[in-house]
Amino acid sequence: MNTDFMMTAYGIAWLGQAMPSFVTSQGTIEPFELDTKHGEDLLNTTWKAPTKMYGTSLNCRAADAKNDSVGQFTYSNGKNCTTQGFSPRQSDSDSKFRALYIGFYTDQHIDYYLESPQCPSPANKHLFFAYWSQALGDSGGANVSAIFCEPTYWTQDVNATVIVPSMNVSDVSPLGPRIPLPDTLFNRTAFEYNIGTGAQEISPRADISETTNVLDQRSRMAKLGIGDTITNMVGFALGLSAAKLTDYTDPDILAASYENAHKLLHALAIKQLMSSSVTDVQRREGVVSGKASVILVVRLLAIVVEILLGLVVLLVLALANHTYTRRSQLGNNPSSLTDVIAIAADDETLQNPTNETGPEASRTRYRLINGRISVSRPPAANPSYDCGIPMPRTRSGPTTTGLENPASLARPIEMSTTVAFIFMLILLLVLTTVILLKTFAEKQHGLPVPSSRTVVNQLVLNYVLVIFATFLEPFWLLLNRQLCVLQPFEKLRRANTPASKSLDLSYTSLPPQMNIWNAFRARHYILGAVCGIGLSANLLAVSLNGLLQLDFVFMEEAKNLTRRHEAIFRQSTVLLGGASDYQYVAKVNLSDGLALPPWTTPDTFFVPFDLEVTSKPRSVSSIRATTQGFGLRPQCERAEFNDTALVTGQRFSFYSQERTPSGGSVFCGGIVTPFGGQNNSNAALEILIQLQPIDPSQPYTPALTIEPAVSPNSTQEERLTCRSILVAGFLRANLTVSSNSTKTGNSMKEEHPDIQRINSLSSLWMTCRATLATAPYEVNVDLTGRVQSYVPIGPDATDLTDFFSNGTAPTSLITNATWILAHGQDTIPYWHNDTFVDTWFAYFIKHLSNSTTFVDPEQPVPVFGQVVPYVEDLYARLFAIVLSLNQDWLAEAEPDSTIPGILVAPSQRVLVSRPMFVITVVLLALNMAVALLYWAKRPKKMLPEMPYTIASIMAMVRASGLAAELRKQEEWKKDWKVGYGRYVGTDGKPHIGIERRPFVQPLDT
């Protein structure tokens, strides 16, 4: 068990870090997983299974207090443990509140502990004491609460529900009683030692994040107004509690805050001890559940569709039955003019059936026998005689006189100019509407939702448009049908067409759209285009149905936002412990994946503005406004210190001559005394220090320092010049160490052997200087202040004086931030012969590069060009974090000072689907093009009536030689060409109809 679990607790308590997998604020559950591999289909589901939970509880009681003669209080647990020496914080102190957590065990890192003759072990070794006081102004008194607590540890069978893939626990329900957790499963002594002292009893070899002793939370406490000795548990208790500071004078609230902290730390410690994978092979039945996207069916519309589909089924069955049971006398398919003429060619009297008059005409019957029509005229004395099907009445065959008047010629009304105008207008209106909908939807982030009712939305957004496509298809079907009927006559009109391309055309045997292949094969391109556009009406219906879609978009609302700070730095003083706070923030960001603090990006800090919104607070997801951003622009250069370095035993010292802003010269130096290492082994060392102005004639300071003595005669300008420079180094060496060891107390490390000699050395040094950059940015943040996006809206400022006051300058801000970077906890470097690192600088470089190459002693010194981007990234990133943790450096804004902002909220809107829009526009444009072509090239008026009936067709050939040839049962010759025009019939009279060449003359129409 190392201290890394406390680093995770710090992230949860202060930085908003999420709970790890299988961990809750009440305890940790044993991990479980499916016994089979699963894919993405189980993502965003929940798994529920029986498992075990490990937790802790505190048994707390208010301490018995007794005041002695000198004003010191003694506190007792009412049994055999007392502690003394505490006095309430007085009102004249800097801090109004005082908080102490005193564990049982002693350690070099803490000032207070219970272990003593007044609190003997083992009866009290699991006890801790918590103290809280609040000064009462000028009276000198204080409200005090003090408690003694002893933890118990338990395990319990539970049903746990976790969310996949994060495996965060969403629900826990008990299945049995709590059972005490045996010491053989959990070392409670080591755990309580860690949280009580903040250190490990035995430090393993690991990275600095796992060996850091006493998480420094003093800067967090100072901002709350809490002083005096602070241990880890005080920070965790306050960070995890929602109580006000004045509430902790209630012992119950104080006990509850420490119990919350104790539960979380225990849960994280158990999590750390558990294997990352499931090793228990015991199978248990669980439940996998989740949300799936479903298609909702509107019941009312579904009923209508079901009724219509049922009606269609009945009609299809009736038609199938009628077709199957009815006897057919057709010898072949009457799909062409040739077939129809052949059917009626047997009886000469049939050639002019409409010439019959008188009573006999009504009793004349026509019968289809063996594929031919025969005529039967029964005697007048037998009126009941009935056979065949009555021949529909029609006008007589055309005569020359009848065709002289074009107004008397027939052409379907659908082909009229009026219908063409109306149809083209409708298509144009629909196309314009679709384009306008798209335009308005893009400009207004969608269209308003018609109704909150699903049925209404479906009717308006889907069915209204589909109705248009539904009526469009039968209209094209009608136009297509008329063209299929007239196409053979259009070819015959030229009076020079082979029968195979006119009389034999079979366009009426299939549904009109199905003639697309026959039409293109016969080179009837307009007919083929009409067939294709008729078929496309179905695709148009689909595209119109999906054109308008409901979805959530981000709507914007202008609002004035209250300014918290001015973009002016009034100070850059570092709070106590502030040099360590940024390290923990960077650690959880780089290694744990936690987002950076609010108002911070990897290279910029933005001046905060107020995020409290009263307009639609539940729906607002982000806020956008213009604010000032500050960041460093580091520039690192390779340095050669070999000529000026004084390598004396274990100490590295170096200096360089720098130019001040006023043109003067100053010597800047640094000294490093690393520790650690093993005899005759390859070792690596990583260094990050801040330079100081020095007097080269003066000796350097003693060994246990990381900086030389500051020159007493240095000016403020010289100090700022040197302290704005960071020196970074990566070294490889072979060492000889002595048998003596040094205890490095200020770095909280164990004793390490002194380095006697550096046998060989290779190094990479660099000096890093930075300039402060600031510019206005348009920043989009969520309601916690986390930056979602940012764009500069102006150039970097060239004059920075307007951004500083009270004697603060850009150089002082940079130097103070640089001091924080170089003087955090555990800054004395250590030689190491493995890839574990002992400084935060090396730890961050290791995680930024996602590699151990730069810290591996078995690898050569890093190449400057490869490592410098990570050093510069780290420099800029840590500076932004420092500013985010010290927002009090900024001047307070004037009361009621506001800036214009935009609230961004998700809202359900009607959107126009881009793919469906493209398909719809293309299809509507094709409809208009084909329609224009259709009416422009429509068949000319030449028929006295439309050839819909057998009688109308036979009237065109009743006196031609074509019918006579068929009556002779002779096939037409392939080289015969036929036409529609004037001819002299077999009766010796002039006719207009169908005849073969050269006996027909084309019409001049």
Side-chain angles (χ1 to χ4, degrees):
M1 185 188 303
N2 55 49
T3 58
D4 191 51
F5 74 91
M6 287 192 285
M7 194 76 72
T8 304
Y10 177 88
I12 295 173
W14 296 109
L15 306 177
Q17 184 174 352
M19 290 286 183
S21 59
F22 298 103
V23 176
T24 74
S25 60
Q26 302 299 311
T28 297
I29 65 172
E30 280 188 358
F32 54 84
E33 62 184 15
L34 295 183
D35 59 357
T36 57
K37 292 184 179 180
H38 61 87
E40 294 185 358
D41 56 325
L42 291 182
L43 295 180
N44 302 318
T45 60
T46 59
W47 297 355
K48 184 176 183 180
T51 184
K52 288 185 178 297
M53 183 175 184
Y54 300 89
T56 182
S57 301
L58 292 185
N59 181 17
C60 298
R61 69 178 301 271
D64 299 328
K66 181 180 179 181
N67 191 2
D68 59 18
S69 58
V70 294
Q72 298 293 324
F73 283 81
T74 299
Y75 296 94
S76 170
N77 70 340
K79 295 181 182 178
N80 60 342
C81 181
T82 60
T83 184
Q84 59 185 5
F86 307 108
S87 59
R89 173 67 62 185
Q90 300 301 316
S91 59
D92 58 351
S93 175
D94 293 337
S95 300
K96 184 178 181 180
F97 301 97
R98 185 184 189 189
L100 293 172
Y101 174 94
I102 303 175
F104 181 80
Y105 299 99
T106 181
D107 187 88
Q108 62 172 329
H109 309 115
I110 57 175
D111 298 327
Y112 300 102
Y113 49 90
L114 294 179
E115 187 176 12
S116 66
Q118 289 76 34
C119 192
S121 177
N124 300 302
K125 68 177 184 178
H126 300 299
L127 203 65
F128 73 84
F129 172 72
Y131 175 88
W132 180 272
S133 68
Q134 176 186 356
L136 297 178
D138 298 334
S139 65
N143 284 334
V144 176
S145 62
I147 56 175
F148 281 92
C149 298
E150 183 173 4
T152 58
Y153 305 91
W154 46 263
T155 179
Q156 185 180 28
D157 291 331
V158 296
N159 245 339
T161 303
V162 297
I163 302 173
V164 181
S166 65
M167 295 302 178
N168 293 133
V169 182
S170 63
D171 183 65
V172 176
S173 56
L175 296 178
R178 292 179 176 179
I179 301 174
L181 183 63
D183 290 343
T184 55
L185 295 180
F186 179 72
N187 189 344
R188 61 186 298 186
T189 300
F191 169 70
E192 291 166 7
Y193 186 96
N194 280 358
I195 65 173
T197 64
Q200 300 177 75
E201 192 172 10
I202 301 176
S203 297
R205 182 73 184 120
D207 280 334
I208 186 174
S209 65
E210 300 177 13
T211 58
T212 296
N213 296 320
V214 186
L215 284 175
D216 195 343
Q217 303 179 64
R218 287 176 294 172
S219 64
R220 299 280 180 179
M221 297 298 100
K223 292 178 180 179
L224 294 176
I226 302 172
D228 215 329
T229 303
I230 302 296
T231 58
N232 287 332
M233 289 300 292
V234 173
F236 293 140
L238 297 183
L240 294 169
S241 175
K244 299 178 181 178
L245 295 181
T246 54
D247 295 338
Y248 290 112
T249 54
D250 184 340
D252 292 335
I253 296 178
L254 184 64
S257 66
Y258 279 104
E259 184 172 42
N260 291 337
H262 206 271
K263 287 181 176 179
L264 176 63
L265 289 166
H266 174 258
L268 295 174
I270 290 288
K271 171 66 176 179
Q272 185 186 85
L273 295 175
M274 285 183 176
S275 172
S276 58
S277 61
V278 178
T279 58
D280 184 5
V281 297
Q282 180 183 359
R283 282 182 169 82
R284 309 161 187 168
E285 289 189 0
V287 177
V288 177
S289 59
K291 296 180 180 179
S293 298
V294 297
I295 299 175
L296 296 178
V297 177
V298 180
R299 187 56 188 157
L300 176 61
L301 299 179
I303 293 175
V304 174
V305 172
E306 290 170 359
I307 293 175
L308 293 177
L309 286 177
L311 182 60
V312 169
V313 170
L314 292 177
L315 292 176
V316 169
L317 292 176
L319 179 61
N321 178 70
H322 177 73
T323 304
Y324 179 76
T325 58
R326 184 178 183 183
R327 183 181 178 184
S328 176
Q329 290 287 349
L330 286 173
N332 58 353
N333 183 14
S335 59
S336 66
L337 292 177
T338 301
D339 296 326
V340 175
I341 295 172
I343 292 175
D346 277 0
D347 196 325
E348 294 185 19
T349 61
L350 186 61
Q351 301 303 313
N352 195 11
T354 55
N355 287 343
E356 299 181 12
T357 58
E360 290 80 5
S362 62
R363 295 199 307 243
T364 302
R365 296 294 181 263
Y366 303 86
R367 183 187 299 271
L368 183 64
I369 301 175
N370 296 325
R372 301 285 183 168
I373 296 179
S374 64
V375 181
S376 175
R377 294 178 177 83
N382 188 11
S384 63
Y385 175 80
D386 189 12
C387 64
I389 302 173
M391 192 71 171
R393 301 277 305 170
T394 182
R395 61 185 294 177
S396 61
T399 64
T400 304
T401 304
L403 290 175
E404 298 301 331
N405 181 15
S408 65
L409 300 181
R411 186 165 58 185
I413 191 174
E414 297 84 5
M415 292 185 175
S416 65
T417 304
T418 302
V419 173
F421 176 78
I422 295 174
F423 184 60
M424 292 292 292
L425 181 62
I426 293 174
L427 289 177
L428 182 61
L429 289 176
V430 173
L431 179 60
T432 305
T433 302
V434 171
I435 294 175
L436 289 177
L437 287 176
K438 178 67 173 177
T439 303
F440 290 148
E442 289 182 345
K443 289 184 177 181
Q444 302 178 6
H445 301 285
L447 305 173
V449 179
S451 172
S452 59
R453 299 183 60 187
T454 304
V455 177
V456 176
N457 288 335
Q458 285 193 337
L459 287 173
V460 175
L461 302 181
N462 302 113
Y463 298 142
V464 170
L465 294 176
V466 172
I467 289 174
F468 164 74
T470 302
F471 284 102
L472 182 65
E473 181 183 16
F475 185 74
W476 274 117
L477 181 65
L478 179 61
L479 296 179
N480 199 354
R481 174 66 178 172
Q482 301 290 13
L483 191 57
C484 286
V485 171
L486 294 177
Q487 185 65 46
F489 293 95
E490 182 67 13
K491 300 297 291 184
L492 289 169
R493 183 176 62 83
R494 296 177 174 86
N496 192 29
T497 305
S500 60
K501 294 184 178 180
S502 55
L503 294 180
D504 292 344
L505 292 177
S506 57
Y507 286 147
T508 58
S509 63
L510 295 173
Q513 299 96 323
M514 298 295 103
N515 289 305
I516 183 170
W517 170 248
N518 294 332
F520 282 115
R521 187 175 62 177
R523 298 183 181 181
H524 298 157
Y525 299 116
I526 295 179
L527 177 59
V530 174
C531 293
I533 211 68
L535 290 172
S536 71
N538 297 282
L539 180 59
L540 181 62
V542 174
S543 65
L544 288 174
N545 183 63
L547 181 65
L548 302 179
Q549 299 176 349
L550 288 176
D551 202 354
F552 284 91
V553 298
F554 292 101
M555 300 296 293
E556 299 179 352
E557 175 187 346
K559 183 177 178 63
N560 288 330
L561 305 172
T562 303
R563 299 174 62 185
R564 286 199 226 159
H565 302 282
E566 299 285 351
I568 299 175
F569 286 96
R570 60 180 181 178
Q571 64 169 346
S572 58
T573 305
V574 181
L575 291 174
L576 190 63
S580 299
D581 207 11
Y582 85 92
Q583 297 168 338
Y584 310 147
V585 175
K587 185 268 176 187
V588 295
N589 170 243
L590 293 176
S591 64
D592 298 344
L594 184 66
L596 286 167
W599 310 104
T600 309
T601 67
D603 58 1
T604 309
F605 166 74
F606 301 100
V607 177
F609 47 81
D610 195 0
L611 297 176
E612 294 294 330
V613 294
T614 57
S615 175
K616 304 177 183 178
R618 293 184 179 179
S619 60
V620 173
S621 61
S622 63
I623 301 176
R624 188 170 69 249
T626 299
T627 187
Q628 200 73 17
F630 294 89
L632 279 191
R633 302 295 182 265
Q635 185 174 4
C636 297
E637 299 176 349
R638 185 166 185 170
E640 298 290 344
F641 287 116
N642 293 333
D643 296 337
T644 58
L646 302 175
V647 182
T648 305
Q650 60 180 341
R651 186 174 62 186
F652 293 90
S653 54
F654 40 82
Y655 65 90
S656 64
Q657 190 172 6
E658 301 291 336
R659 183 71 60 183
T660 63
S662 63
S665 179
V666 60
F667 282 96
C668 303
I671 183 171
V672 177
T673 307
F675 293 92
Q678 295 181 359
N679 265 321
N680 301 316
S681 66
N682 294 327
L685 180 69
E686 298 78 36
I687 295 173
L688 181 69
I689 64 170
Q690 181 188 38
L691 297 187
Q692 299 285 352
I694 62 171
D695 184 350
S697 63
Q698 299 296 321
Y700 286 109
T701 55
L704 290 180
T705 185
I706 59 172
E707 60 187 36
V710 178
S711 174
N713 298 322
S714 61
T715 64
Q716 176 70 8
E717 184 186 42
E718 292 174 340
R719 288 191 292 271
L720 293 177
T721 299
C722 291
R723 291 171 180 173
S724 64
I725 301 173
L726 281 178
V727 173
F730 298 84
L731 294 79
R732 303 289 187 269
N734 183 276
L735 310 175
T736 297
V737 298
S738 68
S739 58
N740 299 327
S741 62
T742 301
K743 191 169 187 178
T744 56
N746 65 330
S747 67
M748 309 303 180
K749 299 292 182 183
E750 300 297 325
E751 295 183 357
H752 289 281
D754 294 336
I755 299 174
Q756 186 175 8
R757 184 173 62 256
I758 298 177
N759 302 316
S760 63
L761 176 68
S762 59
S763 61
L764 169 67
W765 295 95
M766 64 185 74
T767 57
C768 297
R769 299 169 177 82
T771 57
L772 183 66
T774 181
Y777 287 81
E778 185 180 72
V779 183
N780 189 34
V781 298
D782 62 17
L783 296 184
T784 66
R786 258 65 179 199
V787 179
Q788 307 296 307
S789 61
Y790 62 103
V791 178
I793 59 174
D796 289 346
T798 55
D799 184 5
L800 302 180
T801 56
D802 293 339
F803 300 99
F804 294 88
S805 65
N806 297 337
T808 305
T811 50
S812 63
L813 178 65
I814 294 176
T815 55
N816 286 341
T818 303
W819 183 91
I820 295 175
L821 305 183
H823 292 72
Q825 191 176 11
D826 288 302
T827 54
I828 295 181
Y830 291 79
W831 289 102
H832 57 90
N833 62 340
D834 50 28
T835 57
F836 294 119
V837 292
D838 300 281
T839 63
W840 285 110
F841 168 66
Y843 179 84
F844 294 145
I845 292 295
K846 180 178 174 180
H847 281 274
L848 272 175
S849 63
N850 195 27
S851 171
T852 60
T853 302
F854 298 139
V855 299
D856 190 347
E858 300 299 327
Q859 299 292 329
V861 171
V863 178
F864 175 78
Q866 294 177 352
V867 72
V868 70
Y870 299 111
V871 176
E872 292 178 346
D873 183 331
L874 179 62
Y875 197 176
R877 184 185 299 261
L878 296 182
F879 180 80
I881 293 176
V882 168
L883 295 186
S884 72
L885 298 178
N886 294 277
Q887 296 181 20
D888 55 329
W889 291 358
L890 294 168
E892 296 291 334
E894 294 292 332
D896 300 327
S897 176
T898 61
I899 58 174
I902 295 177
L903 306 183
V904 182
S907 176
Q908 192 177 40
R909 304 280 286 180
V910 178
L911 302 181
V912 178
S913 170
R914 182 174 180 80
M916 296 297 104
F917 171 77
V918 173
I919 294 174
T920 300
V921 170
V922 170
L923 290 178
L924 288 175
L926 289 176
N927 272 263
M928 295 182 66
V930 173
L932 186 63
L933 188 63
Y934 180 90
W935 270 282
K937 297 294 183 178
R938 59 188 171 177
K940 297 181 181 298
K941 286 185 177 182
M942 58 181 172
L943 301 176
E945 59 182 337
M946 291 299 295
Y948 296 144
T949 64
I950 295 177
S952 62
I953 295 175
M954 292 309 301
M956 298 179 189
V957 296
R958 64 185 179 86
S960 71
L962 292 176
E965 296 294 339
L966 289 177
R967 285 196 297 273
K968 297 176 182 178
Q969 300 293 324
E970 295 181 4
E971 294 184 0
W972 294 343
K973 296 181 180 180
K974 294 183 179 180
D975 59 347
W976 281 5
K977 293 183 178 181
V978 296
Y980 180 85
R982 297 178 176 87
Y983 67 92
V984 177
T986 56
D987 57 0
K989 299 178 181 180
H991 296 272
I992 293 180
I994 302 173
E995 179 61 282
R996 67 184 180 90
R997 296 281 288 177
F999 308 113
V1000 64
Q1001 179 183 2
L1003 294 175
D1004 295 328
T1005 58

